[in-house]
Amino acid sequence: QKEVEQDPGPLSVPEGAIVSLNCTYSNSAFQYFMWYRQYSRKGPELLMYTYSSGNKEDGRFTAQVDKSSKYISLFIRDSQPSDSATYLCAMSEPGGSYIPTFGRGTSLIVHP
Amino acid sequence: EAEVAQSPRYKITEKSQAVAFWCDPISGHATLYWYRQILGQGPELLVQFQDESVVDDSQLPKDRFSAERLKGVDSTLKIQPAELGDSAMYLCASSSRSNTGELFFGEGSRLTVL
């Protein structure tokens, strides 16, 4: 079993829908949680960053961490065709080198 | 806006040939990473540098892969000889010294081995 599990999709939604993307993990030492967005043939770009449990909101994006369930989510409100991309979750432990472990990514398609 | 620069963007080579990728991190970023991303998978770490020193190269196939960051700034990743299974995107990322996992990625180098 991989440390970070993420459904690859694809997830296809109509424009304006609320999107929910999720990851589960097995390493209880993870404290830092990130979401990266990767457009086709491009490098990942950091979208959201949270520490420990709780919610964080940035515009149309909300990141949620539930450490008790080892489950993280990214919500996208009022989804747009420009949100079509692969969304990678990543997480890291405190101390040491903080090297993030990535999920395999979920492909999101928002159609007009 | 500061960026991580990588070259070449695309490389096609035949198996058993040598390949090299170059990365210039964001100015002032002490930590540099090389990741490999196979199509449909998440990035997997190959090597991490802190300044010019290797921090973690446990997943680097050292019989054919090498990486260096001689002056603690730019870095080169080499594959010799290339094998069919090396076809992937090679991503370079950098982070500040106070990094807690926030990485800034370059656009990647797409390698195809024929």
Side-chain angles (χ1 to χ4, degrees):
Chain A
Q1 185 190 9
K2 288 198 167 186
E3 273 193 306
V4 180
E5 297 282 356
Q6 188 174 10
D7 188 326
L11 178 62
S12 182
V13 301
E15 183 176 355
I18 297 174
V19 174
S20 172
L21 303 166
N22 311 294
C23 287
T24 59
Y25 62 94
S26 56
N27 185 352
S28 58
F30 286 142
Q31 294 278 4
Y32 300 95
F33 303 91
M34 293 141 280
W35 286 94
Y36 286 82
R37 178 175 61 196
Q38 186 173 25
Y39 290 113
S40 181
R41 294 185 173 84
K42 300 283 189 180
E45 58 176 325
L46 184 65
L47 200 58
M48 297 287 283
Y49 174 88
T50 53
Y51 170 70
S52 196
S53 285
N55 292 0
K56 184 174 183 179
E57 189 173 321
D58 184 0
R60 296 185 294 111
F61 299 90
T62 300
Q64 200 170 74
V65 175
D66 182 349
K67 290 189 67 183
S68 61
S69 301
K70 298 191 180 69
Y71 188 88
I72 69 170
S73 301
L74 177 71
F75 298 96
I76 307 174
R77 290 184 300 279
D78 188 25
S79 56
Q80 303 295 310
S82 58
D83 294 328
S84 298
T86 296
Y87 290 81
L88 299 153
C89 64
M91 39 201 86
S92 62
E93 300 180 31
S97 56
Y98 296 97
I99 298 173
T101 299
F102 285 84
R104 64 181 299 180
T106 299
S107 175
L108 172 66
I109 302 166
V110 182
H111 51 86
Chain B
E1 184 177 299
E3 293 183 341
V4 175
Q6 286 191 249
S7 67
R9 286 292 314 279
Y10 302 95
K11 178 71 177 179
I12 299 174
T13 191
E14 294 185 344
K15 66 178 183 177
S16 80
Q17 296 298 303
V19 180
F21 304 110
W22 175 80
C23 172
D24 191 13
I26 292 173
S27 178
H29 277 190
T31 311
L32 184 148
Y33 310 77
W34 284 102
Y35 278 85
R36 176 169 59 186
Q37 186 177 27
I38 295 168
L39 194 63
Q41 301 290 325
E44 294 183 330
L45 182 72
L46 291 174
V47 61
Q48 179 195 11
F49 290 93
Q50 182 77 14
D51 300 309
E52 65 277 6
S53 301
V54 173
V55 174
D56 186 342
D57 65 355
S58 58
Q59 300 305 309
L60 188 71
K62 297 182 189 61
D63 57 335
R64 298 185 300 108
F65 285 65
S66 64
E68 60 183 18
R69 194 184 183 197
L70 293 177
K71 296 183 179 178
V73 181
D74 60 337
S75 175
T76 302
L77 176 71
K78 296 179 181 177
I79 308 173
Q80 183 173 19
E83 296 181 352
L84 295 177
D86 296 332
S87 294
M89 174 83 89
Y90 290 84
L91 293 162
C92 179
S94 69
S95 64
S96 65
R97 196 174 299 275
S98 59
N99 159 59
T100 49
E102 300 168 84
L103 271 56
F104 296 86
F105 283 88
E107 298 224 316
S109 295
R110 167 74 65 187
L111 173 66
T112 301
V113 182
L114 304 175

